[in-house]
Structure formats: structure tokens, C-alpha cells
Amino acid sequence: MANAFNHGDVVVLKSGGPPMTVDRVPAEDGLGAYADEYLCVWFKGASRETGHFNEHALQVYTPPKK
């Protein structure tokens, strides 16, 4: 099954939070730690943060209209 998101896509948690960049997509072989999760990165001030999220918890980020 194809991944819904690709490297470099900007996503956000469906429950809210900061925009995040997809850094790693789930393994196609489905093996290993975090095999079904996306690794996302974002900044909180000057600190780089990371987290692993399942596809069902993410959606494409749409910037607010000005």
C-alpha cells in the first residue's frame, strides 16, 4: 500500500499543533521499529523537535488565508 505522505510534505496533527515536515515515511516492508509511522520534525523556538505519528493522525497542512 502506498504512503499517503512523502518526504518533505508539511503536515499537522488532526487534533492540532504546529506544522511539521515529514522526514521519514513508513517502511514499505513493514519491518522494524516505527515501521508504520511517519517521522516528523518541527521547531519549538530554536529547538528541533521530532515525533513518530501514524498516518490516521495526520493531515496535509493548509496555511491560514490572510
Side-chain angles (χ1 to χ4, degrees):
M1 187 164 125
N3 293 319
F5 307 106
N6 298 305
H7 293 98
D9 284 352
V10 179
V11 297
V12 66
L13 287 171
K14 289 180 179 177
S15 61
M20 306 178 291
T21 302
V22 175
D23 192 48
R24 190 177 335 137
V25 297
E28 291 191 13
D29 61 9
L31 302 175
Y34 307 113
D36 62 344
E37 296 180 335
Y38 291 85
L39 173 65
C40 297
V41 297
W42 67 97
F43 282 89
K44 183 176 180 182
S47 298
R48 181 179 185 265
E49 304 287 332
T50 63
H52 292 91
F53 303 98
N54 286 320
E55 187 173 295
H56 67 271
L58 299 171
Q59 64 187 19
V60 172
Y61 172 70
T62 304
K65 296 185 182 198
K66 295 182 178 182

